[in-house]
Amino acid sequence: MCKPMTHVGTVYLVGAGPGDPELLTLRAARLIGAAGLIVHDGLIDAGVLALARPDAELVSVAKRRARHTLPQGEIEALLVREALAGRDVVRLKGGDPFVFGRGGEEVEACRAAGVPVEVVPGVSAANGAAAAAQIPLTHRRHASVVSFVAGQCKGLAEQDWAGLAGRGRTLVIYMGVKTAPQIAEKLMADGLAPDMPVAVIENASLRAMRVLRGPLAGLPELVARHRVKSPALIVIGEVTGESDAALTRIVEGASA
Ligand code: SAH
């Protein structure tokens, strides 16, 4: 006897960009608009979710009030379970799914379960923030190398950033607001000049965007005094001096 054919859904790992819905790819906007089920992160802007069908089921994997998200294993199990039940799933992630987004793990889980998966790139926060603040990440005069690192507490001390920042190089730090003091200390211990210019871009691409600039040594104070909150990026390097003055809300200290 033949087994009945069971339909397996597809998981679409979709990058939602830094916030502004105008920065979605056409493919992302189409998939969001057509989806019956969207599993999304906490950081996804309401303007992006507003593109979903009125009857779409929206599942947030962020329990914002409790300030923690569903464990990664449970997110993966949810995606696989729904796909094996025959539903297509749009898994919506901030920025690009493959830049500090644990997209790699979700792809692995789908593959292991035999679930078809497609990845749709998004504008990562570094690119979105650089464009919004008019800070070129590379520049013929200032930088020919750019690196992205994660600055959150866990593992920060063990990370080797030597050589990633300095003359001719741009370093972009994700998730570094809370650890700004340790970040400034770490970079100066690696030999970076205390007056190396830095920029902090909060809520890039959104109406509430703020761009702050100052020297590396003043980074902890800059972040504390202006009560910078997540989501924000820290950019270290001479390119930050190129940011549009009209867009820079706050400039302090030596590099001003
Ligand atoms: N996959 C995402 C990054 C997820 S990690 C991407 O490619 O952008 C989350 C971090 O991204 C935040 O802590 C913050 O550092 C950064 N971020 C995301 N959106 C941002 C925004 N609109 N403005 C500034 N930083 C942002």
Side-chain angles (χ1 to χ4, degrees):
M1 247 189 28
C2 291
K3 272 193 183 165
M5 290 267 283
T6 48
H7 169 75
V8 175
T10 297
V11 171
Y12 297 91
L13 225 63
V14 178
D20 181 355
E22 294 283 316
L23 296 178
L24 287 169
T25 62
L26 283 177
R27 179 130 187 89
R30 272 195 209 119
L31 285 166
I32 295 166
L37 173 60
I38 298 176
V39 177
H40 65 89
D41 290 344
L43 264 183
I44 306 298
D45 194 71
V48 171
L49 295 177
L51 300 175
R53 277 176 9 206
D55 64 332
E57 185 186 348
L58 267 56
V59 178
S60 169
V61 295
K63 298 177 199 150
R64 273 213 141 164
R65 232 157 25 127
R67 285 196 171 270
H68 68 92
T69 51
L70 215 61
Q72 184 63 25
E74 285 182 33
I75 297 174
E76 289 159 20
L78 169 69
L79 302 178
V80 165
R81 192 169 61 239
E82 292 292 345
L84 291 179
R87 293 178 91 182
D88 288 339
V89 187
V90 167
R91 169 72 176 108
L92 199 53
K93 301 168 84 68
D96 181 84
F98 279 175
V99 178
F100 304 124
R102 305 194 75 170
E105 292 159 64
E106 292 175 20
V107 164
E108 281 164 26
C110 290
R111 280 193 205 140
V115 167
V117 57
E118 181 188 318
V119 182
V120 179
V123 173
S124 192
N127 300 104
Q134 297 192 8
I135 296 171
L137 294 177
T138 66
H139 190 291
R140 288 282 285 256
R141 278 197 306 277
H142 303 301
S144 57
V145 176
V146 54
S147 309
F148 299 168
V149 295
Q152 82 268 50
C153 239
K154 217 171 128 207
L156 181 62
E158 289 83 57
Q159 284 191 58
D160 182 6
W161 291 358
L164 297 184
R167 282 203 157 269
R169 284 155 286 162
T170 304
L171 182 64
V172 183
I173 303 164
Y174 289 67
M175 297 173 277
V177 172
K178 282 211 191 97
T179 48
Q182 293 93 305
I183 286 170
E185 204 177 304
K186 182 180 176 73
L187 289 169
M188 288 189 288
D190 280 345
L192 223 63
D195 65 350
M196 174 59 76
V198 309
V200 178
I201 304 124
E202 184 189 51
N203 284 313
S205 87
L206 297 167
R207 247 208 304 268
M209 178 171 89
R210 286 196 298 173
V211 182
L212 285 63
R213 283 172 46 213
L216 176 61
L219 175 66
E221 219 196 316
L222 187 70
V223 164
R225 183 141 26 106
H226 299 286
R227 297 177 207 284
V228 176
K229 295 211 173 57
S230 180
L233 278 184
I234 300 169
V235 182
I236 316 261
E238 277 149 4
V239 290
T240 60
E242 296 286 316
S243 77
D244 186 332
L247 294 168
T248 305
R249 304 293 146 79
I250 295 142
V251 183
E252 291 185 351
S255 75

